[in-house]
Amino acid sequence: MFFCLPLLHLQWRFTIPSSNKLCVMLSSLSTHLSPLLISWRAMVGSGCLAPALCCFCPRACHVHLSLLQAPGIRVLILLWLLCASGGAQWIVADHAARPATLKIGALLAPHSTIGREAKRSLELAVKHVNANRSVLHGTALELVWGDTNCSAFQGASAAMDLMSEPVVAIAGPQTSVVSHFVAHMGAATHVPLVSFSATDPSLSEYEYPYFVRLSCSDRVQMEAIAGVVGLFGWREVVALYSDDDFGTSGISALSDALLGVGATIVNHVGLDPAIGRDGIGSALTQLAQMGSRILVVHMQPIMGRILFNEAHYLKMTSTGYVWIVTEALSSVLDNISLDDEFLKATQGLIGTRTFIPVSKKLQTFLHEWKQLTTNETAGRGDTHITTYGLYAYDTIWLIAHALHRFFSENRSFTFYPSNVFPTDAGGNSELAKLNVSQNGFLFLQCILDTEFTGVTGKIKLDKKGDLEGSSIEIVNMVGRGLRTIGYWTSATGCTRHVSRLANRGTLQIDQNNPQELDGVIWPGGSLKVPHEWVIPNNGKPLLIGVPNKTGYKEFVDITVGEDNTTSFHGFCTDVFLAALTYLPYSVPYTFVAYGNGNSTPNYDDLVEQIANKVCSS
């Protein structure tokens, strides 16, 4: 049996060999009470002594002595614990003392582009935190790695290994698919998950109380994409996405956001994450035969590269198309200068990504990052880092600052067995045997309450664990890199006018300026805003009948040039062409002369030609 008694800032832990010696030990109280009674009674009267003792025995028998409210009774029990002999052992530990080492888990896919740079960022952050004694005052963080391979099953297995260490928090998971599974494990074990790249909007729901993130939720960037769609007056878009938690939740958020600007998704194209080039080519071929030309892509870089290369092969990245990509793809486009095929396929696309303000702290980090990656790759690797890598670095600092707050409140980490499940409910499984962090909820609150300025700007989470004050940067792929063409915030919409940066690192935009972006260079090098819809490739152009008559040439005139080409002029023709420019889509047409030019044609015959579909109008 053991008794734990909080007293001042000390934790008194007494280990007693067996409960059957209780009466014997109590009998010794009278010989030790008198010399110490006055001083201990004073402590009780001042409120320094806890009002209750907690008793736990190996037989799972819990006895709460909270009824022992009389100061004299509490003194008797305390003195008995202090003075009883006969094999009793006690350990005195400083309750405010910080552990020498704490384990932090890391769940990522180290063989992916984002996973590789996130691993470097996490290691660099731990190095900096451990070197800065003003944060954890000598407590060293130790990273424990788990390889998810972007698989929910493997991610769950890796998470079990981390939680059995045990770890007090986990940096990650890297992907939304893994996060959905592991977030339930975090809630069961009270181990907070701090993700740097999982963007699925549904992870913000209260169903996942121990999941927080520094990466921008897809809901925010989908609202930014809807702002771009509304700015150019488009009303119909096509969504191409990976058919998993990441893709479907993001496109669902896009659908909701488009309603706010009077637009809609006319075609959902969900692609199997394991799809190959042939499958993507088949899906794109079907889209090319349709009229919609505004395409929003929401998928991981590996699939995105295949899709754009295939679209380029099918000539779907030419003039007239609009491609808009989310941060999952735009985050890597600054790093594809050596991939000529991918580079050609992405020219003219528009992308959204989280706005990261320039700061001295960021510049210092980037300088060290460049040196680190250059040394590790012997100068042959790329030194670029995505926003996810930056957030991975800040993730460790968020955990470190939260630990400082946690320990400053005289808390400590202890783990106890979870509730025993029936055998037929998985009670014998390894998952059911994971220990629970006793103060995990309090540590989670410390994470949510922590505010600091990191390399990505001011870090502050809302009550759902999402980053507050996210702003979006809108970029255009031109040449070998991205150029910024504007910004988006929920308060102002799209704009290219930025007045200043607030201390939080969020954009402060002059609301008097109209919503606009810098000039966009569209696919094919066009400067003209594309229409959202054209006649499908398998469609027929409109045949416009033009009366070929002798009089009133100012209204309708038909001339034949020296090269035998026919030209159509006149007021009626000009009105028709002007009306076409106001349509939100392109209409192919062909003028057809009706009549011999020597006499006025019969209009009844012309109308009959339309009825017989010889002419369209």
Side-chain angles (χ1 to χ4, degrees):
M1 179 191 303
F2 70 79
F3 287 87
C4 292
L5 179 67
L7 179 61
L8 289 174
H9 296 302
L10 299 179
Q11 177 179 344
W12 302 77
R13 182 183 177 95
F14 308 93
T15 304
I16 301 174
S18 62
S19 58
N20 59 6
K21 295 186 179 181
L22 180 60
C23 295
V24 177
M25 294 181 179
L26 284 173
S27 66
S28 65
L29 281 173
S30 59
T31 59
H32 302 284
L33 177 61
S34 299
L36 302 173
L37 181 59
I38 297 177
S39 60
W40 286 110
R41 187 183 297 274
M43 294 181 66
V44 173
S46 65
C48 297
L49 188 61
L53 296 172
C54 297
C55 175
F56 170 80
C57 71
R59 300 175 183 175
C61 176
H62 298 266
V63 181
H64 299 281
L65 303 180
S66 57
L67 297 177
L68 304 179
Q69 298 297 323
I73 298 297
R74 289 180 295 203
V75 169
L76 289 175
I77 295 177
L78 175 63
L79 293 178
W80 162 66
L81 291 172
L82 288 173
C83 305
S85 57
Q89 300 176 355
W90 52 273
I91 303 172
V92 180
D94 185 357
H95 190 70
R98 306 187 179 211
T101 304
L102 275 178
K103 293 182 178 180
I104 306 297
L107 277 177
L108 45 79
H111 301 296
S112 65
T113 301
I114 294 176
R116 281 192 297 270
E117 70 175 37
K119 186 174 185 295
R120 288 177 181 153
S121 292
L122 294 173
E123 291 173 335
L124 187 59
V126 168
K127 174 185 174 182
H128 290 168
V129 168
N130 290 342
N132 188 343
R133 297 183 62 86
S134 64
V135 180
L136 294 180
H137 302 285
T139 297
L141 298 183
E142 177 185 345
L143 283 174
V144 183
W145 301 100
D147 183 358
T148 66
N149 197 29
C150 298
S151 162
F153 181 80
Q154 185 171 329
S157 178
M160 285 184 58
D161 291 340
L162 294 183
M163 292 177 180
S164 63
E165 285 289 336
V167 295
V168 298
I170 291 178
Q174 175 184 324
T175 62
S176 298
V177 174
V178 177
S179 296
H180 273 281
F181 199 112
V182 178
H184 289 293
M185 299 172 63
T189 58
H190 296 182
V191 175
L193 310 175
V194 187
S195 180
F196 48 84
S197 57
T199 58
D200 184 348
S202 65
L203 289 168
S204 300
E205 297 173 0
Y206 289 113
E207 181 183 2
Y208 308 103
Y210 281 81
F211 179 88
V212 303
R213 57 181 159 199
L214 296 189
S215 56
C216 179
S217 169
D218 282 337
R219 180 173 287 107
V220 177
Q221 65 172 331
M222 293 306 177
E223 290 174 354
I225 290 177
V228 173
V229 171
L231 179 65
F232 291 109
W234 301 318
R235 294 295 177 264
E236 296 180 351
V237 304
V238 174
L240 296 103
Y241 56 95
S242 56
D243 194 6
D244 53 18
D245 292 334
F246 164 75
T248 55
S249 295
I251 294 303
S252 177
L254 174 62
S255 181
D256 294 340
L258 288 173
L259 292 176
V261 296
T264 185
I265 300 176
V266 294
N267 197 355
H268 291 73
V269 184
L271 301 174
D272 184 348
I275 196 171
R277 182 161 188 158
D278 291 341
I280 291 179
S282 176
L284 290 176
T285 300
Q286 295 180 26
L287 285 179
Q289 296 173 355
M290 302 174 62
S292 299
R293 288 296 180 263
I294 315 301
L295 302 103
V296 178
V297 179
H298 183 53
M299 57 185 61
Q300 297 296 342
I302 294 177
M303 181 187 291
R305 183 183 184 279
I306 299 174
L307 182 139
F308 273 97
N309 289 343
E310 192 65 15
H312 185 65
Y313 174 76
L314 296 173
K315 302 187 184 305
M316 294 179 66
T317 58
S318 56
T319 302
Y321 283 89
V322 174
W323 292 89
I324 305 175
V325 302
T326 58
E327 188 165 12
L329 261 175
S330 65
S331 62
V332 302
L333 292 181
D334 273 327
N335 192 30
I336 63 171
S337 58
L338 300 179
D339 190 342
D340 290 337
E341 185 181 12
F342 194 18
L343 197 64
K344 292 178 181 178
T346 54
Q347 292 299 303
L349 65 73
I350 293 178
T352 58
R353 64 184 181 187
T354 307
F355 172 73
I356 305 295
V358 177
S359 65
K360 184 177 180 180
K361 182 173 290 188
L362 175 62
Q363 292 174 334
T364 301
F365 170 81
L366 292 177
H367 177 72
E368 185 171 357
W369 173 266
K370 184 176 181 179
Q371 291 182 328
L372 175 66
T373 53
T374 300
N375 293 336
E376 288 184 354
T377 61
R380 295 188 297 270
D382 189 84
T383 60
H384 173 74
I385 184 172
T386 68
T387 54
Y388 299 126
L390 297 176
Y391 278 128
Y393 180 83
D394 279 347
T395 293
I396 294 297
W397 278 100
L398 173 62
I399 294 174
H401 286 295
L403 285 170
H404 174 69
R405 177 188 290 265
F406 180 79
F407 290 134
S408 296
E409 296 174 355
N410 299 316
R411 307 290 185 183
S412 61
F413 288 103
T414 56
F415 293 82
Y416 62 91
S418 60
N419 295 328
V420 178
F421 295 97
T423 302
D424 59 356
N428 293 330
S429 66
E430 294 298 322
L431 186 62
K433 296 177 182 178
L434 292 176
N435 289 334
V436 178
S437 177
Q438 184 174 13
N439 287 325
F441 177 76
L442 297 176
F443 182 45
L444 174 65
Q445 297 307 307
C446 290
I447 293 176
L448 295 175
D449 294 338
T450 296
E451 296 182 38
F452 73 101
T453 300
V455 297
T456 59
K458 189 66 176 293
I459 302 297
K460 180 177 175 17
L461 303 178
D462 61 21
K463 62 181 181 180
K464 286 189 174 182
D466 285 330
L467 188 65
E468 287 188 354
S470 298
S471 302
I472 299 298
E473 185 178 11
I474 303 172
V475 294
N476 183 204
M477 187 67 177
V478 180
R480 294 192 171 273
L482 296 169
R483 56 185 283 262
T484 300
I485 58 174
Y487 305 90
W488 179 92
T489 68
S490 59
T492 61
C494 298
T495 181
R496 61 188 176 93
H497 297 283
V498 180
S499 58
R500 64 185 180 88
L501 296 180
N503 292 331
R504 291 182 49 79
T506 56
L507 292 168
Q508 299 296 309
I509 298 173
D510 185 359
Q511 299 190 26
N512 295 323
N513 287 314
Q515 290 199 25
E516 59 181 349
L517 298 174
D518 277 334
V520 180
I521 301 178
W522 303 99
S526 173
L527 299 178
K528 182 181 178 181
V529 178
H531 293 296
E532 67 179 349
W533 189 87
V534 297
I535 295 294
N537 290 343
N538 58 353
K540 297 180 179 180
L542 293 176
L543 298 179
I544 311 300
V546 181
N548 188 11
K549 56 184 181 178
T550 56
Y552 301 101
K553 296 290 185 180
E554 63 272 18
F555 289 98
V556 176
D557 187 20
I558 301 175
T559 60
V560 179
E562 296 179 356
D563 56 352
N564 204 32
T565 59
T566 303
S567 300
F568 298 85
H569 313 283
F571 175 75
C572 293
T573 304
D574 293 341
V575 170
F576 173 79
L577 294 176
L580 290 180
T581 63
Y582 287 93
L583 294 177
Y585 46 82
S586 298
V587 178
Y589 62 91
T590 300
F591 286 129
V592 178
Y594 185 76
N596 55 22
N598 298 322
S599 61
T600 301
N602 188 298
Y603 280 92
D604 291 340
D605 292 341
L606 180 58
V607 172
E608 186 176 352
Q609 295 290 327
I610 297 174
N612 294 333
K613 298 184 179 180
V614 176
C615 292
S616 303
S617 61

